[in-house]
Amino acid sequence: MDEVTRIVNDIKQGNIKPIYFLMGEEPYYIDKLTEFIEDNVLTEDEKGFNQMVLYGKDVTVEDVIANAKRYPMMADRQVVILKEAQELTRTIDKFESYFDNPQPTTVLVVAYKYKTLDKRKKVTKNADKNGLLFESKKLYENQVADWIKRVLAGREYTIDPKAAAMLVEFLGNDLGKINNELEKLAIILPKGTTITPSHIEENIGISKDYNVFELRKAIGDRDQLKAYKIAAYFAQNPKDNPLVMTVGLVFGFFTQLLQYHGLKDKSQAAKMLKVNPYFIKDYEIAARNYPMRKVSAIVAALRDVDVKSKGVGANSLSADDLLKEMLVKIFN
């Protein structure tokens, strides 16, 4: 995120590169940088003759280069944007010679999403030497809550840790989807608001009481009544609560709990488990309720439930039955 801010600030200050090769598994920042260049490098009057947006499935590398070598009309520079450049993966090396000697009056943006090029290749080295090479890496799920917090801070909002955890568990590490939901909240809620689980439930549709986060907490607390109520709700709403995902997240919780038991220095638990420090108290409680030997047995049992949740050897068991089986194995 810091690198993206630096790139944006450089462009605002007029330090504009002839090549922006944007690549990586996380499309969010690639789209944001592409959108910023598209909106801000040229004036509205200049865009008519000097800005072109091409798509990888419709053009060849030669087409893009031919457009990039044109001269601007009544402007200091032109902008050529190649979106969905990953469609040209097989021929992307043909940019090598252009990247080695780019047209100085052209800003060429190549949005190469979901993939990366080998940085040892000549085409990549040339893009880096004569322009800007940016790699957008996927965030790990344990990093996403902090990302949500930073994004909201930039919009003058704060968020409750549990509300952030709900978003991550529901949407994973897809920053585009999460940002869309945050934008909806920013439209509805006034600046300065602290976003709570109730806001998430009311405006996004994620139940604050019936979600995997609450199921794991109920299991950790050995609150059997609450756990079975949540499991029953999941069985009645399988589309919003896929069985495979539920079992996987509960399995992940006990795997982390096993790690927690093995830590000599519990003060480092948040760092070692890669979880928000706010939630460490849940692991402390669960560790008291489930000794290490019991956790090991549960992990082994959950592997069996996981296999069944994927349809192996459990054709006669419903989602409701499998969830109950999971809880029986945990609580017994």
Side-chain angles (χ1 to χ4, degrees):
M1 194 170 180
D2 291 340
E3 185 180 0
V4 173
T5 302
R6 180 181 59 77
I7 294 168
V8 168
N9 287 337
D10 279 350
I11 293 172
K12 286 180 177 178
Q13 293 167 13
N15 181 17
I16 300 172
K17 306 288 187 183
I19 303 163
Y20 289 87
F21 196 96
L22 314 175
M23 65 180 186
E25 294 181 3
E26 176 50 68
Y28 175 79
Y29 284 120
I30 295 174
D31 288 338
K32 286 295 180 184
L33 284 171
T34 301
E35 181 183 315
F36 181 80
I37 293 170
E38 189 173 353
D39 292 344
N40 293 279
V41 169
L42 298 180
T43 67
E44 289 303 318
D45 291 339
E46 291 172 334
K47 287 177 184 177
F49 291 108
N50 297 290
Q51 185 155 289
M52 180 171 293
V53 178
L54 307 170
Y55 291 85
K57 63 183 176 61
D58 300 325
V59 296
T60 64
V61 171
E62 290 84 356
D63 294 332
V64 179
I65 292 173
N67 280 286
K69 286 184 174 180
R70 290 173 49 231
Y71 288 96
M73 294 180 62
M74 297 177 287
D76 293 333
R77 58 173 62 90
Q78 67 161 345
V79 174
V80 177
I81 298 172
L82 174 60
K83 295 184 177 181
E84 309 298 339
Q86 67 275 7
E87 298 287 342
L88 296 171
T89 296
R90 293 182 179 179
T91 56
I92 203 77
D93 286 348
K94 291 184 178 181
F95 275 117
E96 182 183 309
S97 59
Y98 180 82
F99 287 173
D100 189 42
N101 184 30
Q103 184 80 359
T105 55
T106 294
V107 178
L108 174 61
V109 181
V110 180
Y112 191 82
K113 298 194 292 188
Y114 312 112
K115 299 181 179 183
T116 57
L117 287 182
D118 189 334
K119 292 182 180 179
R120 296 170 296 181
K121 297 181 77 167
K122 196 78 179 288
V123 63
T124 322
K125 288 181 177 180
N126 287 350
D128 192 31
K129 179 179 71 173
N130 296 313
L132 183 139
L133 180 68
F134 170 75
E135 183 177 354
S136 184
K137 297 180 179 179
K138 275 277 187 190
L139 293 184
Y140 294 111
E141 285 201 6
N142 65 287
Q143 299 173 310
V144 178
D146 284 338
W147 179 86
I148 292 171
K149 185 178 176 181
R150 291 199 304 272
V151 169
L152 286 172
R155 297 172 182 172
E156 300 179 39
Y157 294 87
T158 55
I159 187 166
D160 180 275
K162 180 181 172 182
M166 287 168 63
L167 284 172
V168 176
E169 290 198 349
F170 190 70
L171 300 170
N173 61 349
D174 188 324
L175 302 188
K177 286 183 179 178
I178 294 172
N179 185 64
N180 287 341
E181 300 301 339
L182 297 181
E183 287 180 347
K184 291 178 190 175
L185 291 171
I187 292 170
I188 296 164
L189 303 173
K191 287 185 177 181
T193 300
T194 295
I195 296 169
T196 65
S198 293
H199 290 132
I200 301 296
E201 181 176 51
E202 292 164 11
N203 299 295
I204 297 177
I206 308 170
S207 172
K208 65 181 176 64
D209 297 316
Y210 295 94
N211 56 66
V212 174
F213 173 79
E214 288 298 322
L215 176 63
R216 292 195 311 190
K217 190 174 187 311
I219 290 170
D221 293 343
R222 288 196 71 86
D223 186 340
Q224 297 190 37
L225 178 61
K226 184 176 180 180
Y228 277 103
K229 282 177 67 176
I230 294 171
Y233 176 86
F234 283 6
Q236 292 167 8
N237 299 273
K239 187 177 179 181
D240 294 331
N241 306 280
L243 178 62
V244 172
M245 185 180 296
T246 299
V247 174
L249 289 169
V250 173
F251 176 82
F253 173 73
F254 277 100
T255 302
Q256 288 178 313
L257 189 56
L258 197 60
Q259 289 178 271
Y260 181 85
H261 271 298
L263 292 175
K264 291 182 180 179
D265 183 3
K266 297 292 195 286
S267 68
Q268 297 295 311
K271 180 180 178 182
M272 299 305 294
L273 300 183
K274 298 180 180 179
V275 299
N276 190 309
Y278 176 85
F279 299 110
I280 286 301
K281 64 180 182 297
D282 295 337
Y283 290 87
E284 293 172 357
I285 294 169
R288 291 197 293 269
N289 288 328
Y290 300 92
M292 191 170 190
R293 182 175 295 180
K294 175 63 176 174
V295 175
S296 297
I298 290 171
V299 168
L302 286 175
R303 286 198 179 98
D304 179 56
V305 176
D306 180 57
V307 169
K308 290 179 179 178
S309 75
K310 294 169 182 171
V312 180
N315 293 332
S316 61
L317 293 179
S318 66
D320 188 23
D321 289 335
L322 279 172
L323 285 169
K324 287 176 181 176
E325 179 180 332
M326 178 183 76
L327 294 178
V328 166
K329 290 185 175 182
I330 290 170
F331 289 130
N332 282 356

